[in-house]
Amino acid sequence: MITRTARRLTAVTTSALAAALLASCAGGAQPEPAEDTPAADAVTIDDVWVKAADDGMTSAFGVLRNAGEEPVTVVEVRSPISPMELHETVENEAGEMLMRETTEFSLPAGGDFLLEPGGNHFMLMDLAEPVRPGDEVDFTIVFDDDSILDFSAVAKEYGGAQEHYVPGEEDEHEEHAEGDTDGGDPQHDDEDEHAGHEDGDDE
């Protein structure tokens, strides 16, 4: 005969066993890994523009903003009108700021990354067509997780920021440096005008 006390002990033991099994199952379940947010979803680009140029090389500028909680890395930028490079600013032993090609731009978490004349920038290497003031140029930024950010930039005239490159890259970017001027040689023009004036005096 099963006494009341035995029944109670059996019920308590059964409940404890069931609770232990439930706890074991819950403890053994693995949480699903959180999906990583694509870098492109955390980044915006503001104040974008591109320097107008008839041919050769030019540059694009703006402010990259990373709203995410992790740093992100830009590894490439593309445009349908030109092959492109990432260019950064470095300081040489003399304290001069020089330009050179780099493989990536690192954007800090919750921070900005400035692209500006005379500083870091996106470089268009060989224009397939002129970029006139007011034109819109399309670009695609590629991040190290293969996510992409598309944007367009309006072209405008700009004649400042004489840029100098590290040794070995100056010849390659000579056209770029020349593009920061008005394309003429005032001294040479004055000499031609002066020579023409002298020829007229001889007649």
mmCIF file of all heavy atoms in Angstrom, residues 84-125:
data_model
loop_
_atom_site.group_PDB
_atom_site.id
_atom_site.type_symbol
_atom_site.label_atom_id
_atom_site.label_comp_id
_atom_site.label_asym_id
_atom_site.label_seq_id
_atom_site.Cartn_x
_atom_site.Cartn_y
_atom_site.Cartn_z
ATOM 1 N N MET A 84 39.736 54.703 -60.302
ATOM 2 C CA MET A 84 39.874 55.540 -59.120
ATOM 3 C C MET A 84 40.861 54.968 -58.112
ATOM 4 O O MET A 84 41.132 53.765 -58.110
ATOM 5 C CB MET A 84 38.507 55.759 -58.457
ATOM 6 C CG MET A 84 37.516 56.487 -59.339
ATOM 7 S SD MET A 84 36.117 57.131 -58.408
ATOM 8 C CE MET A 84 36.907 58.333 -57.341
ATOM 9 N N GLU A 85 41.377 55.857 -57.255
ATOM 10 C CA GLU A 85 42.274 55.474 -56.175
ATOM 11 C C GLU A 85 41.863 56.205 -54.900
ATOM 12 O O GLU A 85 41.222 57.269 -54.954
ATOM 13 C CB GLU A 85 43.728 55.830 -56.510
ATOM 14 C CG GLU A 85 44.322 55.047 -57.666
ATOM 15 C CD GLU A 85 45.767 55.445 -57.965
ATOM 16 O OE1 GLU A 85 46.262 56.395 -57.307
ATOM 17 O OE2 GLU A 85 46.383 54.817 -58.839
ATOM 18 N N LEU A 86 42.265 55.647 -53.755
ATOM 19 C CA LEU A 86 42.141 56.332 -52.471
ATOM 20 C C LEU A 86 43.475 57.020 -52.198
ATOM 21 O O LEU A 86 44.529 56.389 -52.270
ATOM 22 C CB LEU A 86 41.850 55.339 -51.346
ATOM 23 C CG LEU A 86 40.677 54.383 -51.537
ATOM 24 C CD1 LEU A 86 40.571 53.441 -50.327
ATOM 25 C CD2 LEU A 86 39.369 55.135 -51.716
ATOM 26 N N HIS A 87 43.450 58.308 -51.897
ATOM 27 C CA HIS A 87 44.674 59.043 -51.611
ATOM 28 C C HIS A 87 44.625 59.598 -50.194
ATOM 29 O O HIS A 87 43.613 60.145 -49.770
ATOM 30 C CB HIS A 87 44.870 60.185 -52.605
ATOM 31 C CG HIS A 87 45.362 59.721 -53.935
ATOM 32 N ND1 HIS A 87 45.840 60.582 -54.905
ATOM 33 C CD2 HIS A 87 45.461 58.474 -54.471
ATOM 34 C CE1 HIS A 87 46.211 59.885 -55.972
ATOM 35 N NE2 HIS A 87 45.985 58.605 -55.731
ATOM 36 N N GLU A 88 45.750 59.451 -49.479
ATOM 37 C CA GLU A 88 45.844 59.927 -48.107
ATOM 38 C C GLU A 88 46.955 60.954 -47.969
ATOM 39 O O GLU A 88 47.837 61.070 -48.827
ATOM 40 C CB GLU A 88 46.109 58.763 -47.155
ATOM 41 C CG GLU A 88 47.471 58.115 -47.349
ATOM 42 C CD GLU A 88 47.753 57.016 -46.339
ATOM 43 O OE1 GLU A 88 46.941 56.835 -45.422
ATOM 44 O OE2 GLU A 88 48.786 56.337 -46.487
ATOM 45 N N THR A 89 46.909 61.691 -46.857
ATOM 46 C CA THR A 89 47.927 62.684 -46.552
ATOM 47 C C THR A 89 48.910 62.114 -45.542
ATOM 48 O O THR A 89 48.505 61.548 -44.530
ATOM 49 C CB THR A 89 47.284 63.946 -45.952
ATOM 50 O OG1 THR A 89 46.251 64.408 -46.824
ATOM 51 C CG2 THR A 89 48.311 65.041 -45.784
ATOM 52 N N VAL A 90 50.214 62.262 -45.813
ATOM 53 C CA VAL A 90 51.256 61.822 -44.872
ATOM 54 C C VAL A 90 52.261 62.954 -44.697
ATOM 55 O O VAL A 90 52.426 63.801 -45.572
ATOM 56 C CB VAL A 90 51.971 60.547 -45.376
ATOM 57 C CG1 VAL A 90 51.023 59.363 -45.375
ATOM 58 C CG2 VAL A 90 52.569 60.759 -46.762
ATOM 59 N N GLU A 91 52.923 62.945 -43.562
ATOM 60 C CA GLU A 91 53.928 63.974 -43.272
ATOM 61 C C GLU A 91 55.319 63.395 -43.470
ATOM 62 O O GLU A 91 55.633 62.318 -42.958
ATOM 63 C CB GLU A 91 53.754 64.467 -41.833
ATOM 64 C CG GLU A 91 54.671 65.626 -41.472
ATOM 65 C CD GLU A 91 54.388 66.164 -40.078
ATOM 66 O OE1 GLU A 91 53.426 65.692 -39.446
ATOM 67 O OE2 GLU A 91 55.147 67.049 -39.625
ATOM 68 N N ASN A 92 56.167 64.119 -44.220
ATOM 69 C CA ASN A 92 57.529 63.637 -44.431
ATOM 70 C C ASN A 92 58.451 64.124 -43.315
ATOM 71 O O ASN A 92 58.005 64.803 -42.372
ATOM 72 C CB ASN A 92 58.048 64.041 -45.814
ATOM 73 C CG ASN A 92 58.230 65.547 -45.955
ATOM 74 O OD1 ASN A 92 58.104 66.314 -44.997
ATOM 75 N ND2 ASN A 92 58.541 65.989 -47.162
ATOM 76 N N GLU A 93 59.754 63.820 -43.413
ATOM 77 C CA GLU A 93 60.694 64.166 -42.351
ATOM 78 C C GLU A 93 60.859 65.673 -42.191
ATOM 79 O O GLU A 93 61.220 66.154 -41.120
ATOM 80 C CB GLU A 93 62.053 63.523 -42.647
ATOM 81 C CG GLU A 93 62.032 61.997 -42.611
ATOM 82 C CD GLU A 93 63.383 61.399 -42.949
ATOM 83 O OE1 GLU A 93 64.292 62.184 -43.305
ATOM 84 O OE2 GLU A 93 63.524 60.168 -42.858
ATOM 85 N N ALA A 94 60.558 66.402 -43.258
ATOM 86 C CA ALA A 94 60.687 67.858 -43.193
ATOM 87 C C ALA A 94 59.424 68.524 -42.665
ATOM 88 O O ALA A 94 59.355 69.749 -42.578
ATOM 89 C CB ALA A 94 61.019 68.404 -44.576
ATOM 90 N N GLY A 95 58.426 67.727 -42.345
ATOM 91 C CA GLY A 95 57.169 68.286 -41.836
ATOM 92 C C GLY A 95 56.202 68.692 -42.923
ATOM 93 O O GLY A 95 55.158 69.291 -42.639
ATOM 94 N N GLU A 96 56.530 68.373 -44.185
ATOM 95 C CA GLU A 96 55.640 68.704 -45.295
ATOM 96 C C GLU A 96 54.558 67.632 -45.427
ATOM 97 O O GLU A 96 54.815 66.447 -45.214
ATOM 98 C CB GLU A 96 56.437 68.780 -46.608
ATOM 99 C CG GLU A 96 57.506 69.851 -46.605
ATOM 100 C CD GLU A 96 58.388 69.759 -47.841
ATOM 101 O OE1 GLU A 96 58.703 68.637 -48.270
ATOM 102 O OE2 GLU A 96 58.737 70.815 -48.378
ATOM 103 N N MET A 97 53.347 68.075 -45.789
ATOM 104 C CA MET A 97 52.244 67.149 -45.994
ATOM 105 C C MET A 97 52.220 66.720 -47.460
ATOM 106 O O MET A 97 52.112 67.563 -48.363
ATOM 107 C CB MET A 97 50.919 67.794 -45.606
ATOM 108 C CG MET A 97 50.873 68.251 -44.155
ATOM 109 S SD MET A 97 51.319 66.952 -42.963
ATOM 110 C CE MET A 97 49.939 65.822 -43.164
ATOM 111 N N LEU A 98 52.357 65.417 -47.699
ATOM 112 C CA LEU A 98 52.413 64.873 -49.055
ATOM 113 C C LEU A 98 51.274 63.890 -49.280
ATOM 114 O O LEU A 98 50.722 63.317 -48.346
ATOM 115 C CB LEU A 98 53.754 64.164 -49.284
ATOM 116 C CG LEU A 98 55.013 65.000 -49.066
ATOM 117 C CD1 LEU A 98 56.246 64.134 -49.293
ATOM 118 C CD2 LEU A 98 55.034 66.216 -49.984
ATOM 119 N N MET A 99 50.946 63.675 -50.554
ATOM 120 C CA MET A 99 49.893 62.745 -50.945
ATOM 121 C C MET A 99 50.492 61.417 -51.395
ATOM 122 O O MET A 99 51.576 61.379 -51.974
ATOM 123 C CB MET A 99 49.079 63.316 -52.113
ATOM 124 C CG MET A 99 48.408 64.631 -51.826
ATOM 125 S SD MET A 99 47.090 64.454 -50.639
ATOM 126 C CE MET A 99 46.898 66.170 -50.163
ATOM 127 N N ARG A 100 49.749 60.341 -51.152
ATOM 128 C CA ARG A 100 50.142 59.051 -51.688
ATOM 129 C C ARG A 100 48.913 58.155 -51.779
ATOM 130 O O ARG A 100 47.910 58.358 -51.068
ATOM 131 C CB ARG A 100 51.202 58.388 -50.814
ATOM 132 C CG ARG A 100 50.689 57.914 -49.455
ATOM 133 C CD ARG A 100 51.764 57.217 -48.670
ATOM 134 N NE ARG A 100 51.268 56.757 -47.377
ATOM 135 C CZ ARG A 100 52.039 56.245 -46.413
ATOM 136 N NH1 ARG A 100 53.349 56.142 -46.608
ATOM 137 N NH2 ARG A 100 51.505 55.853 -45.279
ATOM 138 N N GLU A 101 48.993 57.165 -52.635
ATOM 139 C CA GLU A 101 47.901 56.197 -52.747
ATOM 140 C C GLU A 101 47.884 55.296 -51.522
ATOM 141 O O GLU A 101 48.928 54.947 -50.968
ATOM 142 C CB GLU A 101 48.078 55.344 -54.012
ATOM 143 C CG GLU A 101 46.944 54.344 -54.216
ATOM 144 C CD GLU A 101 47.162 53.454 -55.420
ATOM 145 O OE1 GLU A 101 48.209 53.600 -56.091
ATOM 146 O OE2 GLU A 101 46.290 52.598 -55.684
ATOM 147 N N THR A 102 46.683 54.913 -51.077
ATOM 148 C CA THR A 102 46.545 53.986 -49.974
ATOM 149 C C THR A 102 45.520 52.920 -50.341
ATOM 150 O O THR A 102 44.776 53.066 -51.319
ATOM 151 C CB THR A 102 46.118 54.714 -48.673
ATOM 152 O OG1 THR A 102 46.093 53.785 -47.588
ATOM 153 C CG2 THR A 102 44.732 55.341 -48.822
ATOM 154 N N THR A 103 45.482 51.846 -49.569
ATOM 155 C CA THR A 103 44.578 50.737 -49.879
ATOM 156 C C THR A 103 43.261 50.823 -49.130
ATOM 157 O O THR A 103 42.324 50.095 -49.453
ATOM 158 C CB THR A 103 45.239 49.390 -49.533
ATOM 159 O OG1 THR A 103 45.619 49.383 -48.154
ATOM 160 C CG2 THR A 103 46.472 49.179 -50.390
ATOM 161 N N GLU A 104 43.172 51.695 -48.119
ATOM 162 C CA GLU A 104 41.934 51.752 -47.335
ATOM 163 C C GLU A 104 41.837 53.054 -46.555
ATOM 164 O O GLU A 104 42.841 53.713 -46.281
ATOM 165 C CB GLU A 104 41.857 50.574 -46.367
ATOM 166 C CG GLU A 104 42.965 50.551 -45.341
ATOM 167 C CD GLU A 104 42.928 49.340 -44.442
ATOM 168 O OE1 GLU A 104 42.640 48.221 -44.946
ATOM 169 O OE2 GLU A 104 43.183 49.504 -43.229
ATOM 170 N N PHE A 105 40.593 53.411 -46.221
ATOM 171 C CA PHE A 105 40.302 54.482 -45.271
ATOM 172 C C PHE A 105 39.563 53.854 -44.100
ATOM 173 O O PHE A 105 38.580 53.135 -44.297
ATOM 174 C CB PHE A 105 39.404 55.556 -45.892
ATOM 175 C CG PHE A 105 40.071 56.452 -46.900
ATOM 176 C CD1 PHE A 105 39.317 57.058 -47.901
ATOM 177 C CD2 PHE A 105 41.426 56.715 -46.845
ATOM 178 C CE1 PHE A 105 39.908 57.892 -48.822
ATOM 179 C CE2 PHE A 105 42.041 57.552 -47.773
ATOM 180 C CZ PHE A 105 41.273 58.146 -48.762
ATOM 181 N N SER A 106 40.010 54.123 -42.875
ATOM 182 C CA SER A 106 39.355 53.589 -41.682
ATOM 183 C C SER A 106 38.488 54.667 -41.056
ATOM 184 O O SER A 106 38.979 55.748 -40.703
ATOM 185 C CB SER A 106 40.399 53.100 -40.678
ATOM 186 O OG SER A 106 39.767 52.573 -39.528
ATOM 187 N N LEU A 107 37.189 54.372 -40.911
ATOM 188 C CA LEU A 107 36.243 55.314 -40.332
ATOM 189 C C LEU A 107 35.984 54.928 -38.876
ATOM 190 O O LEU A 107 35.540 53.815 -38.601
ATOM 191 C CB LEU A 107 34.915 55.304 -41.092
ATOM 192 C CG LEU A 107 34.829 56.073 -42.413
ATOM 193 C CD1 LEU A 107 35.876 55.641 -43.416
ATOM 194 C CD2 LEU A 107 33.433 55.944 -43.002
ATOM 195 N N PRO A 108 36.253 55.815 -37.918
ATOM 196 C CA PRO A 108 36.064 55.467 -36.505
ATOM 197 C C PRO A 108 34.590 55.282 -36.162
ATOM 198 O O PRO A 108 33.712 55.874 -36.806
ATOM 199 C CB PRO A 108 36.653 56.677 -35.776
ATOM 200 C CG PRO A 108 36.511 57.811 -36.743
ATOM 201 C CD PRO A 108 36.712 57.203 -38.104
ATOM 202 N N ALA A 109 34.322 54.477 -35.150
ATOM 203 C CA ALA A 109 32.946 54.274 -34.689
ATOM 204 C C ALA A 109 32.370 55.601 -34.206
ATOM 205 O O ALA A 109 32.999 56.320 -33.430
ATOM 206 C CB ALA A 109 32.924 53.251 -33.561
ATOM 207 N N GLY A 110 31.181 55.931 -34.703
ATOM 208 C CA GLY A 110 30.520 57.156 -34.288
ATOM 209 C C GLY A 110 31.242 58.423 -34.676
ATOM 210 O O GLY A 110 31.007 59.487 -34.095
ATOM 211 N N GLY A 111 32.128 58.343 -35.674
ATOM 212 C CA GLY A 111 32.930 59.506 -36.045
ATOM 213 C C GLY A 111 32.871 59.851 -37.517
ATOM 214 O O GLY A 111 32.215 59.173 -38.315
ATOM 215 N N ASP A 112 33.579 60.910 -37.877
ATOM 216 C CA ASP A 112 33.623 61.406 -39.249
ATOM 217 C C ASP A 112 35.001 61.172 -39.858
ATOM 218 O O ASP A 112 36.002 61.074 -39.143
ATOM 219 C CB ASP A 112 33.317 62.904 -39.301
ATOM 220 C CG ASP A 112 31.906 63.242 -38.837
ATOM 221 O OD1 ASP A 112 31.081 62.303 -38.749
ATOM 222 O OD2 ASP A 112 31.644 64.421 -38.567
ATOM 223 N N PHE A 113 35.032 61.119 -41.189
ATOM 224 C CA PHE A 113 36.289 61.019 -41.935
ATOM 225 C C PHE A 113 36.209 62.041 -43.056
ATOM 226 O O PHE A 113 35.359 61.946 -43.946
ATOM 227 C CB PHE A 113 36.473 59.614 -42.486
ATOM 228 C CG PHE A 113 37.821 59.376 -43.127
ATOM 229 C CD1 PHE A 113 38.883 58.894 -42.374
ATOM 230 C CD2 PHE A 113 38.024 59.647 -44.474
ATOM 231 C CE1 PHE A 113 40.129 58.675 -42.959
ATOM 232 C CE2 PHE A 113 39.258 59.437 -45.068
ATOM 233 C CZ PHE A 113 40.319 58.949 -44.302
ATOM 234 N N LEU A 114 37.083 63.040 -43.006
ATOM 235 C CA LEU A 114 37.018 64.173 -43.924
ATOM 236 C C LEU A 114 37.796 63.910 -45.201
ATOM 237 O O LEU A 114 38.951 63.491 -45.163
ATOM 238 C CB LEU A 114 37.556 65.422 -43.228
ATOM 239 C CG LEU A 114 37.481 66.741 -44.007
ATOM 240 C CD1 LEU A 114 36.031 67.098 -44.332
ATOM 241 C CD2 LEU A 114 38.133 67.861 -43.189
ATOM 242 N N LEU A 115 37.163 64.173 -46.329
ATOM 243 C CA LEU A 115 37.806 64.165 -47.640
ATOM 244 C C LEU A 115 37.834 65.608 -48.113
ATOM 245 O O LEU A 115 36.778 66.221 -48.305
ATOM 246 C CB LEU A 115 37.018 63.297 -48.633
ATOM 247 C CG LEU A 115 36.737 61.854 -48.209
ATOM 248 C CD1 LEU A 115 35.745 61.202 -49.173
ATOM 249 C CD2 LEU A 115 38.024 61.045 -48.153
ATOM 250 N N GLU A 116 39.045 66.175 -48.309
ATOM 251 C CA GLU A 116 39.127 67.598 -48.605
ATOM 252 C C GLU A 116 40.314 67.901 -49.510
ATOM 253 O O GLU A 116 41.287 67.130 -49.564
ATOM 254 C CB GLU A 116 39.277 68.389 -47.303
ATOM 255 C CG GLU A 116 40.533 68.043 -46.521
ATOM 256 C CD GLU A 116 40.676 68.850 -45.252
ATOM 257 O OE1 GLU A 116 39.980 69.870 -45.118
ATOM 258 O OE2 GLU A 116 41.496 68.465 -44.390
ATOM 259 N N PRO A 117 40.261 69.025 -50.238
ATOM 260 C CA PRO A 117 41.403 69.429 -51.052
ATOM 261 C C PRO A 117 42.644 69.589 -50.182
ATOM 262 O O PRO A 117 42.594 70.187 -49.110
ATOM 263 C CB PRO A 117 40.959 70.783 -51.633
ATOM 264 C CG PRO A 117 39.462 70.724 -51.623
ATOM 265 C CD PRO A 117 39.111 69.939 -50.389
ATOM 266 N N GLY A 118 43.760 69.029 -50.627
ATOM 267 C CA GLY A 118 44.980 69.077 -49.854
ATOM 268 C C GLY A 118 45.058 68.019 -48.776
ATOM 269 O O GLY A 118 46.055 67.920 -48.064
ATOM 270 N N GLY A 119 44.006 67.194 -48.639
ATOM 271 C CA GLY A 119 43.968 66.134 -47.640
ATOM 272 C C GLY A 119 43.545 64.823 -48.265
ATOM 273 O O GLY A 119 43.706 64.606 -49.472
ATOM 274 N N ASN A 120 42.993 63.928 -47.465
ATOM 275 C CA ASN A 120 42.497 62.661 -47.995
ATOM 276 C C ASN A 120 41.408 62.927 -49.033
ATOM 277 O O ASN A 120 40.591 63.839 -48.869
ATOM 278 C CB ASN A 120 41.921 61.811 -46.863
ATOM 279 C CG ASN A 120 42.927 61.530 -45.769
ATOM 280 O OD1 ASN A 120 44.089 61.256 -46.041
ATOM 281 N ND2 ASN A 120 42.498 61.611 -44.520
ATOM 282 N N HIS A 121 41.393 62.107 -50.085
ATOM 283 C CA HIS A 121 40.371 62.323 -51.124
ATOM 284 C C HIS A 121 40.218 61.077 -51.991
ATOM 285 O O HIS A 121 41.044 60.165 -51.953
ATOM 286 C CB HIS A 121 40.726 63.532 -52.000
ATOM 287 C CG HIS A 121 42.047 63.450 -52.678
ATOM 288 N ND1 HIS A 121 43.223 63.824 -52.073
ATOM 289 C CD2 HIS A 121 42.400 63.022 -53.925
ATOM 290 C CE1 HIS A 121 44.239 63.652 -52.908
ATOM 291 N NE2 HIS A 121 43.755 63.144 -54.048
ATOM 292 N N PHE A 122 39.143 61.079 -52.766
ATOM 293 C CA PHE A 122 38.932 60.066 -53.808
ATOM 294 C C PHE A 122 39.501 60.640 -55.110
ATOM 295 O O PHE A 122 39.146 61.741 -55.508
ATOM 296 C CB PHE A 122 37.449 59.765 -54.000
ATOM 297 C CG PHE A 122 36.788 59.112 -52.822
ATOM 298 C CD1 PHE A 122 35.453 59.374 -52.534
ATOM 299 C CD2 PHE A 122 37.470 58.224 -52.010
ATOM 300 C CE1 PHE A 122 34.822 58.761 -51.457
ATOM 301 C CE2 PHE A 122 36.852 57.612 -50.933
ATOM 302 C CZ PHE A 122 35.523 57.880 -50.653
ATOM 303 N N MET A 123 40.372 59.878 -55.758
ATOM 304 C CA MET A 123 41.074 60.377 -56.944
ATOM 305 C C MET A 123 40.564 59.711 -58.212
ATOM 306 O O MET A 123 40.580 58.481 -58.330
ATOM 307 C CB MET A 123 42.574 60.079 -56.791
ATOM 308 C CG MET A 123 43.426 60.661 -57.885
ATOM 309 S SD MET A 123 43.654 62.414 -57.617
ATOM 310 C CE MET A 123 44.655 62.821 -59.024
ATOM 311 N N LEU A 124 40.071 60.504 -59.159
ATOM 312 C CA LEU A 124 39.710 60.018 -60.484
ATOM 313 C C LEU A 124 40.958 60.105 -61.352
ATOM 314 O O LEU A 124 41.508 61.197 -61.550
ATOM 315 C CB LEU A 124 38.576 60.846 -61.081
ATOM 316 C CG LEU A 124 37.208 60.728 -60.392
ATOM 317 C CD1 LEU A 124 37.131 61.665 -59.176
ATOM 318 C CD2 LEU A 124 36.071 61.060 -61.363
ATOM 319 N N MET A 125 41.415 58.974 -61.875
ATOM 320 C CA MET A 125 42.736 58.905 -62.479
ATOM 321 C C MET A 125 42.790 59.236 -63.960
ATOM 322 O O MET A 125 43.789 59.731 -64.459
ATOM 323 C CB MET A 125 43.309 57.498 -62.257
ATOM 324 C CG MET A 125 43.509 57.131 -60.799
ATOM 325 S SD MET A 125 44.650 58.242 -59.963
ATOM 326 C CE MET A 125 46.157 57.940 -60.881
#
